[in-house]
Amino acid sequence: MRAYDIIEKKRDKLELSKGEINFLIKGYVDGEIPDYQMSAFLMAVYFSGMTDDECEILTECMLDSGEKIDLSEIDSVKVDKHSTGGVGDKTTLIVTPIVAACGVKVAKMSGRGLGHTGGTIDKLASIPHMETNLDKEKFFEIVKKIGCSIVSQTGNLVPADKKIYALRDVTATVESKPLIASSIMSKKIASGADCILLDVKVGDGAFMKTFEDAVELSKIMVNIGSRFGKKVAAVITDMNSPLGNAVGNALEVRESCEILKGSGPKDLREVSLVLSANMLCLAGKGTYETCHKLAENTLNDGSAFEKFKQMVEAQGGDISNFEKEDYASEAKIRHDVFAWDSGYIHAMRAESLGKASMILGAGRERKEDNIDYSAGILLHRKVGEKVNKGDILATFYSSDEYKCIDAEKIFKESVEISEDLPKLNKLIKARVTSQGIEKF
Ligand code: URA
């Protein structure tokens, strides 16, 4: 078998066999197939796509490249969630304790942020002394005792994805649905949960820019999960503007605490409850309406917040700030941005706001960059709201005034203010399951 022939076959839109896909993935991970041939293959997939069978085989080959987590010693149903990535998306910090407070276990492995999107592990790392590099014994012990734990992905979880993703990142092949689906699903299946809820983001700040693309990606992922015997659903949610008001690690933890205490921004509460309800449904806790009510009760009675504090404490984190109003303001510099016009806010483009937050120090451009956990943006106004010239639109947090000046330029380009009332995007657009699609 030759890599050349496999690349040629995919270029010509022909279906590859299991032997061929395996040859390529294994050969690349083992260092026998060079980057330039793998790059050509990835670009061929980008243009030619893959059949459902090819997607399943690719996922299986990636899965077989590393460790699979066996959660069977944790009794009862285990449920996982994954977001395809967004700006201000802190829902994992909220839904994990909600679902655990409803009696369903969540043993969650998460990643760090890269580029304009944030990562759950960075948000947790902003909590003083919080440990996310736990060994398997400690991780399992916390899930058994508390009901949930969030840790960093082990180094050996789908090593094929690490190598291939790094190559996709520099060869303009990230935005390929079969490649995204196999990348995400191999990691989710390797993480061992019985049920997987996918939050597929759509819009300006997401990989999927159109609803049709988001539906197609959801269908591929749900299909892969079902073929591996998992209960999977995908909820398609809006990512045209940031979720909630906070972007940046410590700011997002504070906002998550607000939601868990029963207050906080309406959009974030709504998406968090919908995701939690869907996770509970997958875990067999009842109808969607029952599960939504169960989830809502945990915010109203404080049990989800209690669960979050227990989880953070069990992982060594300091929870003393969580009850305070303004604990996330350790950044040296606070810089207000004022409305330059009067009218309604029509757009706050998520991708640019993510970039502005990264410039302030909250994210990393390259894997090895350091993060300033206190940096970020707090929005005082959101899309659809009325502003008067001179009102504070946002506060930037950073260690450096020059960074604020650069970030303000990007922020101003990403916000549109206009006289007429804007049409608001629906937050929750559809649910895709193995039964089909429900549009909302
Ligand atoms: N997230 C992943 O884990 N993989 C992708 O390919 C895209 C988003």
Side-chain angles (χ1 to χ4, degrees):
M1 216 176 276
R2 292 191 316 157
Y4 179 95
D5 300 320
I6 302 172
I7 298 165
E8 183 179 51
K9 205 168 160 186
K10 188 48 36 201
R11 182 200 67 190
D12 295 342
K13 301 194 167 35
L14 298 172
E15 186 167 2
L16 301 178
S17 68
K18 183 167 183 171
E20 286 166 331
I21 296 175
N22 193 39
F23 173 83
L24 211 63
I25 301 300
K26 196 167 176 317
Y28 184 60
V29 173
D30 292 345
E32 282 151 19
I33 290 175
D35 280 355
Y36 55 83
Q37 281 191 309
M38 196 59 183
S39 307
F41 173 74
L42 294 170
M43 195 54 91
V45 172
Y46 181 92
F47 283 112
S48 302
M50 279 187 149
T51 64
D52 286 350
D53 284 345
E54 285 178 306
C55 285
E56 180 188 350
I57 294 165
L58 178 58
T59 306
E60 193 178 355
C61 293
M62 309 247 289
L63 193 57
D64 287 344
S65 70
E67 183 188 5
K68 290 169 205 144
I69 312 291
D70 179 3
L71 296 179
S72 59
E73 71 172 79
I74 301 170
D75 59 13
S76 81
V77 178
K78 275 80 60 184
V79 58
D80 197 355
K81 84 155 269 266
H82 183 85
S83 156
T84 56
V87 177
D89 181 6
K90 66 281 286 175
T91 53
T92 294
L93 302 183
I94 301 165
V95 305
T96 301
I98 291 179
V99 170
C102 294
V104 173
K105 301 233 161 63
V106 188
K108 177 126 189 58
M109 291 195 164
S110 288
R112 297 190 176 274
L114 189 62
H116 73 277
T117 62
T120 300
I121 293 301
D122 293 327
K123 300 180 210 295
L124 287 173
S126 73
I127 302 169
H129 313 300
M130 181 76 179
E131 194 47 73
T132 54
N133 271 324
L134 302 181
D135 61 29
K136 193 177 125 198
E137 285 67 36
K138 184 79 185 160
F139 176 44
F140 282 17
E141 182 195 313
I142 296 172
V143 177
K144 285 181 196 167
K145 189 163 163 228
I146 314 280
C148 57
S149 177
I150 306 173
V151 296
S152 347
Q153 267 160 28
T154 69
N156 198 28
L157 198 86
V158 197
D161 181 60
K162 277 197 190 75
K163 199 165 173 195
I164 293 170
Y165 194 90
L167 193 63
R168 286 168 59 204
D169 210 21
V170 292
T171 55
T173 50
V174 169
E175 291 91 347
S176 150
K177 291 179 208 97
L179 297 179
I180 294 177
S182 54
S183 159
I184 291 176
M185 293 311 288
S186 58
K187 286 177 289 198
K188 290 291 104 182
I189 293 161
S191 301
D194 311 291
C195 313
I196 303 163
L197 181 75
L198 302 160
D199 178 7
V200 177
K201 300 286 184 197
V202 61
D204 173 80
F207 286 122
M208 296 298 110
K209 305 289 182 206
T210 68
F211 178 69
E212 291 69 30
D213 282 341
V215 169
E216 207 186 316
L217 176 64
S218 302
K219 283 183 178 164
I220 300 173
M221 292 198 287
V222 168
N223 187 40
I224 293 174
S226 307
R227 285 176 177 224
F228 281 87
K230 306 287 180 187
K231 284 176 84 176
V232 191
V235 179
I236 300 178
T237 66
D238 184 74
M239 188 37 72
N240 280 296
S241 56
L243 191 56
N245 300 339
V247 183
N249 300 294
L251 293 166
E252 292 192 40
V253 171
R254 180 176 71 172
E255 189 167 80
S256 302
C257 287
E258 282 170 18
I259 297 287
L260 290 168
K261 287 191 260 184
S263 57
K266 254 176 51 203
D267 60 342
L268 178 59
R269 179 179 165 103
E270 183 185 340
V271 173
S272 300
L273 284 174
V274 168
L275 297 177
S276 304
N278 276 287
M279 289 168 79
L280 293 168
C281 270
L282 285 173
K285 292 296 266 189
T287 62
Y288 179 78
E289 287 67 32
T290 307
C291 291
H292 194 279
K293 196 81 214 133
L294 280 174
E296 207 167 14
N297 288 344
T298 69
L299 296 184
N300 297 339
D301 68 13
S303 55
F305 186 42
E306 210 40 55
K307 200 51 87 186
F308 183 64
K309 289 191 288 187
Q310 286 169 4
M311 181 190 83
V312 170
E313 271 199 311
Q315 295 186 214
D318 177 357
I319 62 164
S320 57
N321 276 329
F322 288 1
E323 311 279 355
K324 297 182 196 158
E325 281 295 300
D326 199 22
Y327 76 85
S329 53
E330 277 169 17
K332 242 179 30 210
I333 310 275
R334 278 181 183 216
H335 175 104
D336 289 330
V337 181
F338 301 94
W340 49 93
D341 211 346
S342 297
Y344 292 94
I345 301 183
H346 276 240
M348 284 189 146
R349 287 184 204 93
E351 183 165 355
S352 311
L353 288 189
K355 280 185 189 148
S357 170
M358 190 172 81
I359 288 172
L360 291 170
R364 47 174 90 74
E365 222 161 327
R366 287 159 306 170
K367 277 207 306 282
E368 55 282 6
D369 291 348
N370 283 327
I371 278 192
D372 173 359
Y373 291 116
S374 63
I377 300 174
L378 197 58
L379 299 171
H380 298 290
R381 296 298 167 90
K382 299 265 289 181
V383 171
E385 290 180 8
K386 201 168 186 310
V387 285
N388 290 315
K389 190 172 173 179
D391 286 351
I392 301 178
L393 280 186
T395 303
F396 290 174
Y397 295 85
S398 187
S399 58
D400 182 341
E401 188 62 42
Y402 288 109
K403 289 182 180 171
C404 294
I405 293 165
D406 289 345
E408 181 163 348
K409 205 163 157 270
I410 295 180
F411 180 87
K412 286 187 164 167
E413 283 164 6
S414 75
V415 176
E416 263 174 45
I417 303 173
S418 153
E419 260 176 28
D420 38 308
L421 252 170
K423 192 171 163 281
L424 293 182
N425 282 317
K426 268 192 185 154
L427 264 182
I428 315 290
K429 296 172 190 296
R431 174 172 41 219
V432 178
T433 63
S434 51
Q435 317 295 313
I437 170 166
E438 255 174 289
K439 290 184 192 166
F440 302 117

